[in-house]
Amino acid sequence: MTVAELQKQFWDKLSKVYDEREARAITRMVLEEILELDTHKLSLERFRILTSHQHVLLSEILERLLTHEPVQYILGRADFFGLKFNVNRHVLIPRPETEELVDWIVSDFASRTSDLRILDIGTGSGCIPISLAHKFPSAFVEATDVSEDALEVAEENNRLNDTKVKFLKHDILNEDLLANTYDIVISNPPYISLEEKTFMAENVLKFEPHLALFAPGEDSLIFYRRIAEKAFHALKPFGKLFFEINEAKGKEVIELMEGFGFTNIELRKDLSGKERMVKGEKL
Ligand code: GLN
């Protein structure tokens, strides 16, 4: 079987489960990774005959994709902010919305990149701090997570991207932060309430870590409350807190940030028009 024939088989089968654009994007990701080709080479090599090993491997991957397993978990890889990240089922797959949050921070601090001290809370794969460390090479970047399994993935990504983020195990719900230390605190904490679980896509619910998705208990903003309170204390004067938020909770997050003393609060929409990010300043 040739690369082109296999590509067609992937498109046909995957378009029953995914929309056509996504089916094509997934096929491209799989072929590039397994055949170790970039997009340009892939089209040049379309008449190449697959080895039997490649054929078996690709058929197995197709079966898993048809069960809705995300391609990033199957390949163990995700792209984020132009960098490569290892992922497994202990961490969320980095999302494009989160790239927008990182982009906001990068443009906000473009004129002040030296001596920045940055903390990311609930770091998962480490996609946020590693991207920031990459953009701000002289910054001192720290990141925490309660999950040791996630921290292991984040450390791998630190090596993979040649960054020096300091990863620490820390439970923000129960432990304090250093006072007056950071210029930037960021968090994309678990923000889905248990009632929203029924509306979620099957592939997210079935494969991604529930610890990273769902807020525990009754208060779906518990992480925002604890983080805003502790971040206010941990930020230096003029320091900023950035959150990724549940699109339905913008107003409540702003109110609670105001309650803990933040000013100049700004809410931003993501590319799909959903209220997705908030920034506040400690004056
Ligand atoms: N900070 C990580 C991300 O943005 C993990 C987020 C989470 O686990 N809630 O992907």
Side-chain angles (χ1 to χ4, degrees), residues 145-192:
D145 207 288
V146 70
S147 155
E148 281 177 32
D149 291 326
L151 288 169
E152 231 170 79
V153 177
E155 288 287 10
E156 278 173 28
N157 287 325
N158 218 8
R159 285 191 290 276
L160 191 66
N161 290 293
D162 211 9
T163 45
K164 303 216 159 34
V165 177
K166 191 171 164 203
F167 288 103
L168 303 160
K169 181 173 157 67
H170 182 266
D171 173 6
I172 192 66
L173 294 182
N174 296 300
E175 292 173 78
D176 290 329
L177 297 174
L178 290 175
N180 207 16
T181 304
Y182 302 100
D183 301 284
I184 309 174
V185 175
I186 313 120
S187 188
N188 175 21
Y191 59 62
I192 303 169

Side-chain angles (χ1 to χ4, degrees), residues 66 78 89-90 92 145 149 153 209 240 267 283:
L66 292 171
R89 288 174 64 173
H90 297 298
L92 285 192
D145 207 288
D149 291 326
V153 177
K240 291 177 186 174
L267 177 65
L283 289 186

Side-chain angles (χ1 to χ4, degrees), residues 72-86:
Q72 292 89 342
Y73 286 148
I74 298 174
L75 301 176
R77 285 284 193 150
D79 292 318
F80 183 87
F81 214 74
L83 301 173
K84 293 252 177 252
F85 287 84
N86 285 349

Side-chain angles (χ1 to χ4, degrees), residues 43-138:
S43 83
L44 288 178
E45 302 263 329
R46 62 190 177 282
F47 300 116
R48 196 212 276 189
I49 308 280
L50 297 169
T51 66
S52 60
H53 173 69
Q54 286 168 337
H55 192 231
V56 170
L57 198 59
L58 288 160
S59 308
E60 282 167 6
I61 291 175
L62 184 57
E63 288 309 309
R64 286 171 71 180
L65 286 167
L66 292 171
T67 70
H68 293 270
E69 184 171 354
V71 64
Q72 292 89 342
Y73 286 148
I74 298 174
L75 301 176
R77 285 284 193 150
D79 292 318
F80 183 87
F81 214 74
L83 301 173
K84 293 252 177 252
F85 287 84
N86 285 349
V87 291
N88 63 27
R89 288 174 64 173
H90 297 298
V91 301
L92 285 192
I93 297 166
R95 304 289 204 271
E97 300 88 291
T98 310
E99 286 180 316
E100 291 183 59
L101 178 73
V102 172
D103 218 24
W104 190 9
I105 300 165
V106 168
S107 54
D108 217 52
F109 282 83
S111 59
R112 242 214 78 189
T113 60
S114 60
D115 300 326
L116 284 177
R117 193 151 170 184
I118 303 175
L119 172 67
D120 176 43
I121 299 170
T123 198
S125 63
C127 60
I128 296 173
I130 288 171
S131 303
L132 290 172
H134 196 258
K135 275 281 170 189
F136 298 145
S138 64

Side-chain angles (χ1 to χ4, degrees), residues 5-68:
E5 282 161 353
L6 184 109
Q7 196 169 36
K8 169 107 179 27
Q9 188 188 60
F10 263 62
W11 288 346
D12 288 346
K13 296 221 167 150
L14 289 178
S15 55
K16 299 200 171 68
V17 179
Y18 296 93
D19 72 45
E20 199 182 312
R21 197 184 48 87
E22 218 174 348
R24 286 180 180 245
I26 292 171
T27 304
R28 184 165 27 77
M29 274 177 76
V30 171
L31 287 176
E32 282 174 20
E33 184 79 23
I34 301 302
L35 306 180
E36 295 176 45
L37 297 171
D38 61 30
T39 308
H40 177 61
K41 292 248 179 58
L42 195 59
S43 83
L44 288 178
E45 302 263 329
R46 62 190 177 282
F47 300 116
R48 196 212 276 189
I49 308 280
L50 297 169
T51 66
S52 60
H53 173 69
Q54 286 168 337
H55 192 231
V56 170
L57 198 59
L58 288 160
S59 308
E60 282 167 6
I61 291 175
L62 184 57
E63 288 309 309
R64 286 171 71 180
L65 286 167
L66 292 171
T67 70
H68 293 270

